[in-house]
Amino acid sequence: MTRRKSLLSKKLTSVLILIIAGLIGFILAIVGYLYFPRPLPAKPSSFTIIAHRGVHQTFRKENLDNDTCTAKIIYPPTHKFLENTIPSIQEAFKYGADIVEIDIHPTTDNQLAIFHDWTIDCRANGKGITHKQSMRTLKKLDIGYGYTADGGQTFPFRGQGVGLMPTFDEIIQEFPDKKFLIDQKDRFEKTIDLLANYLRKYSEEQRQNIYLFSEEKNYQLLKKQVPQVQKIFPTRKETKDCIPEYLTMLFSGEVSKSCNKYAFGVPTGYLKYIPGWSSNLFLTKAREAKLKVYVTEVDTKEDWEGIKDLPLDGIVTNRIELIGLLR
């Protein structure tokens, strides 16, 4: 009986060793597949540079949360431009931006204000929720009031931003042939309806130059009213929902229609965490799946050097005044 138990134990041990060896072999095969270097696929026929907020004052990104006033943590200024203004947009196009990203809020008098923050407290000399203001009130604000690079000792843009908050109408009239990515800062259908009403005033060519960043429901609502409007990027939730498909794409070279109709965007700081990125597998399979790929937060010379030769569909930058010169 003891001998039989001993033989059974040896068999079980052998089986266990084979299973472990098989698992190790499988893991090594997967790792080898993901990280074995491959040649890069051909570059796409076009490359798009999106200037986030136009030319603007950048800030430290460590320890940010939803309540952080980024105007109070800017880097020492190297230029005079404030985000989401006509001068900053003009400068962004001058440096080679193909599309400029702007942020919209509805106002109490049914206009669309171009401003990033949910409230006016941080950047401007006022208080309250942005969409609860009239455009007349917003036009009186100094939107450079709150910027400081030294903890509040000096405010280099105070007094220089009075009347600089534009309306959507003013932007389109100032740049009739330029492309804009519009970030809807709320989820209101009212905002979509206002945007549609404004866009209908303009030519079909101008409407084709508008891209919306919003949840899918609101995009489809705008699309019904203004069919020419397009969407480049999914929301964070939409991206999260597609992550399993992006992973299986590494083996199949396919993603569903719902996950490849918008571009995959990844910040430079996260590239090292993308499976198969360093081996060019991800970009190879993305090209097979016809999935457009953008790298975002390309803000330094080092960032640009790291991606400039890759077959990307485009980038998003906070420093078009730098990246535009390197392109």
Side-chain angles (χ1 to χ4, degrees):
M1 191 72 176
T2 303
R3 184 180 178 185
R4 184 178 297 176
K5 285 184 178 180
S6 177
L7 289 173
L8 182 60
S9 176
K10 287 181 179 180
K11 286 183 179 179
L12 289 174
T13 301
S14 298
V15 170
L16 185 59
I17 290 173
L18 287 174
I19 291 173
I20 293 173
L23 286 173
I24 292 173
F26 178 74
I27 292 171
L28 290 175
I30 293 295
V31 171
Y33 174 76
L34 291 176
Y35 295 102
F36 182 79
R38 292 165 172 79
L40 283 169
K43 289 188 176 183
S45 57
S46 63
F47 181 80
T48 301
I49 296 184
I50 301 175
H52 185 230
R53 306 193 200 183
V55 174
H56 66 281
Q57 303 302 317
T58 54
F59 47 85
R60 297 184 297 276
K61 296 179 180 178
E62 298 82 10
N63 303 316
L64 295 181
D65 58 41
N66 290 335
D67 296 323
T68 301
C69 176
T70 56
K72 288 181 167 51
I73 55 171
I74 62 169
Y75 292 114
T78 59
H79 59 75
K80 62 182 180 180
F81 299 98
L82 298 174
E83 63 186 55
N84 278 308
T85 62
I86 286 176
S88 80
I89 293 169
Q90 191 170 41
E91 196 74 356
F93 285 127
K94 173 184 167 184
Y95 278 104
D98 300 297
I99 300 174
V100 172
E101 184 268 352
I102 56 177
D103 306 283
I104 62 170
H105 298 265
T107 63
T108 57
D109 49 355
N110 292 324
Q111 296 195 60
L112 289 171
I114 307 301
F115 190 67
H116 179 272
D117 295 357
W118 186 254
T119 69
I120 57 177
D121 305 49
C122 169
R123 302 180 195 283
N125 56 333
K127 290 188 179 297
I129 297 173
T130 305
H131 72 257
K132 292 187 176 181
Q133 316 297 317
S134 69
M135 198 66 224
R136 182 178 180 181
T137 298
L138 295 174
K139 281 289 189 184
K140 294 178 181 178
L141 296 176
D142 175 8
I143 60 171
Y145 188 85
Y147 286 84
T148 180
D150 52 17
Q153 296 181 54
T154 60
F155 293 86
F157 300 103
R158 187 166 287 185
Q160 299 179 37
V162 179
L164 285 187
M165 189 187 303
T167 66
F168 178 74
D169 236 8
E170 289 170 338
I171 294 295
I172 299 302
Q173 290 171 15
E174 184 71 25
F175 305 99
D177 60 343
K178 298 299 186 181
K179 296 181 178 181
F180 291 94
L181 172 59
I182 298 173
D183 187 349
Q184 182 188 359
K185 303 306 289 186
D186 56 62
R187 296 182 178 181
F188 307 148
E189 289 188 8
K190 171 189 175 181
T191 307
I192 295 298
D193 290 336
L194 281 173
L195 181 57
N197 288 337
Y198 279 112
L199 287 174
R200 278 195 288 261
K201 297 191 308 182
Y202 297 103
S203 69
E204 183 174 335
E205 288 76 14
Q206 287 174 295
R207 295 196 292 267
Q208 288 174 342
N209 286 336
I210 300 300
Y211 302 83
L212 183 68
F213 180 75
S214 74
E215 60 182 11
E216 186 68 10
K217 181 186 74 171
N218 281 351
Y219 170 61
Q220 292 301 332
L221 179 62
L222 181 61
K223 190 81 171 169
K224 287 180 181 178
Q225 300 179 72
V226 187
Q228 295 83 7
V229 170
Q230 303 170 70
K231 181 175 175 178
I232 301 175
F233 299 109
T235 62
R236 288 183 181 179
K237 181 183 182 305
E238 291 164 355
T239 299
K240 185 178 179 181
D241 290 343
C242 285
I243 285 177
E245 290 202 35
Y246 296 150
L247 292 175
T248 58
M249 177 193 73
L250 297 176
F251 301 92
S252 68
E254 297 179 352
V255 290
S256 67
K257 288 182 179 180
S258 62
C259 288
N260 83 345
K261 62 181 178 180
Y262 305 130
F264 174 79
V266 56
T268 51
Y270 287 85
L271 294 178
K272 59 187 176 182
Y273 302 116
I274 302 294
W277 184 270
S278 61
S279 65
N280 301 325
L281 173 65
F282 187 93
L283 289 171
T284 298
K285 292 299 182 179
R287 194 63 58 214
E288 288 181 22
K290 297 181 173 55
L291 175 67
K292 291 186 175 182
V293 178
Y294 280 69
V295 173
T296 66
E297 299 182 9
V298 181
D299 299 336
T300 67
K301 182 178 179 180
E302 291 71 26
D303 292 340
W304 173 253
E305 291 295 328
I307 60 90
K308 68 177 184 178
D309 295 322
L310 299 179
L312 301 171
D313 293 277
I315 62 168
V316 181
T317 178
N318 291 295
R319 296 288 310 281
I320 184 61
E321 73 277 11
L322 170 66
I323 301 302
L325 295 176
L326 297 173
R327 184 181 182 183

